[in-house]
Amino acid sequence: MAKFKALSRGIQLVLVAGPLLFLSLFFTWQNVPVDYGRAGIATVPLDGFDAWGLLLGLLVMATVTLVVLLQLTDVEMSEDVPWSTVILGLGAAVFAVAVVKSLTDAGSTWQSYAFVGLAAAVAVGAYLDWAAARRAPEPLLARKRRGISSAA
């Protein structure tokens, strides 16, 4: 737990929201009415595993796996690859696919839109990590000005 608390907020958000989003695919994402003629109409609840859901699950697994490899293990990854940018791209793709899935599913439930909120949390966490990696090591105002001296 101490190792988890030492991580940045963005990484913590990805590591919590990502697995929750993957587990949400097992819950009801849509209710589809089925007409049985004279017998009546039934509503069939469907989980999140369709073509979009499968893509969403794969993207979530890739994002969480990459974050775990980079942050929680001692695996040597190439320093030439901007990993925070790759994680940002995966997080944005997770959010985009979740939005498309919820909007294109017939009979989307309110839970599916809540699950899109989890996808947004993954994307925000990836953005926070990316922004922290791009921050300058010291604030610009803290640098000493060279060549300019005050006349006293």
Side-chain angles (χ1 to χ4, degrees), residues 31-149:
N31 289 320
V32 178
V34 177
D35 187 7
Y36 289 108
R38 290 182 12 167
I41 297 175
T43 302
V44 178
L46 298 176
D47 60 13
F49 284 107
D50 56 359
W52 288 109
L54 181 62
L55 179 60
L56 181 61
L58 291 173
L59 285 170
V60 168
M61 285 192 299
T63 305
V64 171
T65 301
L66 188 57
V67 167
V68 167
L69 283 175
L70 289 171
Q71 301 294 329
L72 298 176
T73 64
D74 294 331
V75 175
E76 291 184 22
M77 305 287 279
S78 174
E79 294 179 11
D80 297 334
V81 178
W83 292 112
S84 60
T85 306
V86 172
I87 293 171
L88 175 64
L90 286 171
V94 164
F95 178 66
V97 169
V99 167
V100 168
K101 176 175 176 30
S102 283
L103 292 178
T104 59
D105 280 346
S108 290
T109 62
W110 64 269
Q111 293 104 332
S112 70
Y113 296 107
F115 298 149
V116 171
L118 285 173
V122 170
V124 166
Y127 172 76
L128 290 174
D129 181 52
W130 176 79
R134 293 182 49 94
R135 241 181 251 134
E138 63 182 49
L140 294 176
L141 296 177
R143 294 183 188 167
K144 292 184 179 179
R145 296 182 182 177
R146 294 187 186 136
I148 300 174
S149 60

Side-chain angles (χ1 to χ4, degrees), residues 7-15 67 121-122 124-129:
L7 297 172
S8 69
R9 289 283 182 223
I11 296 298
Q12 289 176 353
L13 200 55
V14 170
L15 290 177
V67 167
V122 170
V124 166
Y127 172 76
L128 290 174
D129 181 52

